[in-house]
Amino acid sequence: MKVEPIPALNPQKQVEAIQMLTNQQMQPLFQKISSEYLYWDKVKHMAPKGIDKQVFWQAVKIQRLLNAQDIRFGNYTFHFTVTKNMLALLHNFDMNLGGSLGTKSIIPATDKNYYLISSIMEEAIASSQMEGASTTRRIAKDMLRKRLKPINKSQQMIVNNYETISKISKNKLTDFTIEGLLDIHRSIANKTLDNAEDEGIFRKNDDIFVVDGITGYVAHTPPSFTEIDAMIRDLCEFANNDNSENFIHPILKGIIIHFVLAYIHPFVDGNGRTARSLFYWYMIKKGYWLTEYLSISRIIYTNKKAYERAYQYTENDGNDLSYFIQYHLDVMKKAFEDLKKFLQRKIDEQQNVLRFVGITNINERQRYVLKTISENKRTLFTPKELATQFDISARSARTDLQELVEMGYLSTTNLNKRAIGYIKSDQFEELLQDHSKKE
């Protein structure tokens, strides 16, 4: 997917462009362009009648550059401008994704493990699908829940992503180091590369391009492999040090880390998955704990072309990171809105569980099992699956299921010589009816 190149700025038209910026009648138009951080291919169509499109674009660029902040990685300089719209989104995320300003109540404490495991599954699946993993969400989630061994490269990619994100969540307080980055890639790339020796090491040549799979267009040529070490060290320094004199909002930093790692493309493969994992790590490290429950890759996957365009807009316009920042903030907003809808749906579904509330001596996990089986009589549970779903030990899961057997709600079935499954018992409906009558 090739984007239109931007026109070169004309020094002889600079005065005319500046005068345009001071025209009060045009301020609403400039504000709209700034709010959405539009690229040249859209801005040119917004130039008022009788005004040169390229001069109009030059006015937009001058406005952006007046407040731009530069950052440098290796020999490459990037810049970004924080707009009023970005500030509003950042404030909203500050209020809702971290800290103690009421966010702890958005997810009931008893359900946190369940929702966290579910969201990590969604993120792992979508992030892998973006890189070519071909399998359905149903099959992928079933594999993760039951901890089944992956049978092909696509499934291995998903398992790797799931385990990596889980590991990142548990090591959120560590600093960003080259060794840590290589460890993340080793986990992401495990058993999925053509050459296993490429797992967890930087590429050793420049035989790598980011290419559109349909058109064959080379969208990005990464820096030389000889520049990787220096650029990654600068990225580590950027991530680990909070300079109050040149303060950058933590969410913006996380987004920039995402972009720059993908820009450097330090690995033979798995760069996108590694970059998205680093964003999660940085957000959680900085206290935005609700980020763990957002499936950002799922939103990106629904419109992958917009994701790719954000990269190209940035590179085509002199490494202006604001395009990618605006895109990423919009994705986060959509992911947060989806999370709220998901939670409301789950709360509504829990109303159906009320019929089980009066059953004495059962816990929340057992209520979940009873509800699931009542809705689908063919459901089969294993201790391993329940343990994964709620992040508990297999022993605790087995105890939960066995207690339901003793109460008469479940029956056991042999899956093989060692494994036992738990299914709906013959007297399940009768027991529920008896319970309803007592109510």
Side-chain angles (χ1 to χ4, degrees):
M1 178 186 60
K2 187 174 182 179
V3 300
E4 185 177 349
I6 61 171
L9 301 183
N10 186 347
Q12 296 178 351
K13 297 290 185 179
Q14 185 168 337
V15 173
E16 184 180 348
I18 293 174
Q19 290 175 340
M20 199 177 295
L21 282 173
T22 62
N23 186 330
Q24 292 300 314
Q25 292 182 339
M26 295 182 67
Q27 289 309 302
L29 186 55
F30 284 122
Q31 289 173 7
K32 175 178 174 58
I33 294 170
S34 173
S35 177
E36 299 178 29
Y37 218 88
L38 301 175
Y39 184 71
W40 155 252
D41 58 358
K42 293 183 177 62
V43 171
K44 68 179 182 179
H45 297 299
M46 300 174 71
K49 187 175 181 179
I51 292 181
D52 185 287
K53 293 180 180 180
Q54 294 192 14
V55 177
F56 182 66
W57 168 252
Q58 189 155 333
V60 170
K61 286 293 298 179
I62 290 172
Q63 184 184 52
R64 291 174 176 176
L65 292 172
L66 283 173
N67 300 306
Q69 182 172 342
D70 289 346
I71 47 177
R72 192 171 180 83
F73 301 97
N75 298 317
Y76 299 81
T77 300
F78 300 82
H79 65 274
F80 64 95
T81 303
V82 182
T83 66
K84 291 180 179 179
N85 182 46
M86 291 177 189
L87 287 173
L89 288 168
L90 291 170
H91 173 68
N92 182 55
F93 295 143
D94 283 341
M95 296 292 288
N96 289 288
L97 297 186
S100 57
L101 298 177
T103 53
K104 296 292 183 181
S105 62
I106 190 172
I107 299 177
T110 55
D111 298 329
K112 281 191 174 183
N113 278 341
Y114 168 73
Y115 290 138
L116 179 57
I117 298 299
S118 179
S119 64
I120 291 176
M121 286 182 181
E122 290 284 357
E123 178 62 24
I125 293 167
S127 186
S128 299
Q129 287 176 327
M130 286 177 60
E131 306 300 326
S134 56
T135 189
T136 67
R137 285 176 64 253
R138 183 185 63 79
I139 291 175
K141 294 192 83 167
D142 193 52
M143 174 188 65
L144 293 174
R145 283 175 180 153
K146 295 180 178 178
R147 299 185 187 178
L148 301 177
K149 186 176 181 180
I151 61 174
N152 54 41
K153 179 180 176 180
S154 293
Q155 291 189 3
Q156 185 68 55
M157 287 171 66
I158 292 170
V159 168
N160 291 351
N161 259 35
Y162 178 76
E163 292 178 348
T164 302
I165 296 172
S166 299
K167 182 163 58 176
I168 284 174
S169 298
K170 295 174 182 176
N171 295 281
K172 57 190 175 186
L173 298 181
T174 58
D175 278 348
F176 182 32
T177 64
I178 289 181
E179 293 74 19
L181 174 61
L182 296 179
D183 185 56
I184 288 174
H185 182 262
R186 191 176 297 110
S187 178
I188 284 280
N190 180 40
K191 299 179 182 177
T192 64
L193 304 184
D194 294 336
N195 186 352
E197 294 180 358
D198 290 328
E199 296 173 10
I201 66 167
F202 294 144
R203 55 185 168 87
K204 302 298 184 183
N205 56 57
D206 293 331
D207 298 334
I208 186 167
F209 306 94
V210 180
V211 180
D212 186 298
I214 298 176
T215 65
Y217 168 71
V218 177
H220 173 59
T221 301
S224 170
F225 76 96
T226 60
E227 301 178 87
I228 292 175
D229 277 354
M231 294 186 75
I232 294 295
R233 290 186 191 282
D234 285 349
L235 189 60
C236 291
E237 179 77 12
F238 176 77
N240 296 330
N241 294 328
D242 295 320
N243 189 333
S244 58
E245 293 183 3
N246 296 303
F247 175 77
I248 298 176
H249 192 284
I251 295 178
L252 296 184
K253 265 197 161 185
I255 294 171
I256 292 170
I257 290 169
H258 177 168
F259 179 92
V260 173
L261 195 282
Y263 180 91
I264 299 171
H265 240 65
F267 304 108
V268 170
D269 196 10
N271 294 282
R273 283 169 283 154
T274 303
R276 289 186 289 276
S277 296
L278 285 178
F279 171 75
Y280 270 90
W281 162 78
Y282 192 79
M283 289 289 287
I284 298 166
K285 177 182 175 67
K286 290 301 179 180
Y288 295 94
W289 65 271
L290 200 60
T291 305
E292 290 186 81
Y293 297 84
L294 303 182
S295 180
I296 292 173
S297 289
R298 186 175 60 80
I299 304 299
I300 295 174
Y301 183 59
T302 59
N303 189 2
K304 190 180 176 184
K305 287 190 179 299
Y307 180 62
E308 294 168 349
R309 276 198 301 270
Y311 274 104
Q312 291 187 49
Y313 286 166
T314 290
E315 192 167 357
N316 277 21
D317 197 359
N319 287 339
D320 184 351
L321 290 163
S322 307
Y323 295 105
F324 190 78
I325 289 171
Q326 182 62 59
Y327 166 79
H328 207 294
L329 290 173
D330 289 338
V331 166
M332 289 177 64
K333 179 182 178 182
K334 180 68 166 62
F336 181 57
E337 290 171 350
D338 280 3
L339 174 64
K340 289 190 290 186
K341 291 177 183 176
F342 169 77
L343 292 175
Q344 185 58 55
R345 189 168 67 250
K346 290 301 178 183
I347 290 171
D348 293 340
E349 289 177 2
Q350 284 183 358
Q351 301 303 313
N352 297 326
V353 183
L354 289 176
R355 64 188 296 204
F356 305 119
V357 170
I359 301 177
T360 58
N361 300 322
I362 67 171
N363 58 39
E364 293 295 327
R365 299 184 297 272
Q366 290 168 323
R367 289 191 179 96
Y368 167 78
V369 171
L370 294 181
K371 174 182 175 293
T372 303
I373 287 183
S374 71
E375 294 173 348
N376 186 350
K377 63 182 181 181
R378 295 183 179 179
T379 300
L380 181 147
F381 277 97
T382 65
K384 184 184 291 186
E385 178 181 356
L386 195 64
T388 300
Q389 191 82 350
F390 288 93
D391 194 24
I392 58 176
S393 68
R395 183 176 180 179
S396 296
R398 190 176 298 107
T399 299
D400 284 342
L401 295 169
Q402 195 59 42
E403 285 177 355
L404 292 176
V405 172
E406 293 169 3
M407 296 173 68
Y409 291 103
L410 301 183
S411 297
T412 60
T413 181
N414 292 325
L415 301 180
N416 51 47
K417 291 183 178 180
R418 299 179 58 185
I420 295 176
Y422 293 81
I423 59 175
K424 187 177 186 179
S425 71
D426 292 337
Q427 63 266 36
F428 184 89
E429 297 296 342
E430 183 181 344
L431 288 172
L432 286 188
Q433 289 175 7
D434 289 345
H435 169 68
S436 298
K437 290 176 183 178
K438 291 178 183 178
E439 291 290 306

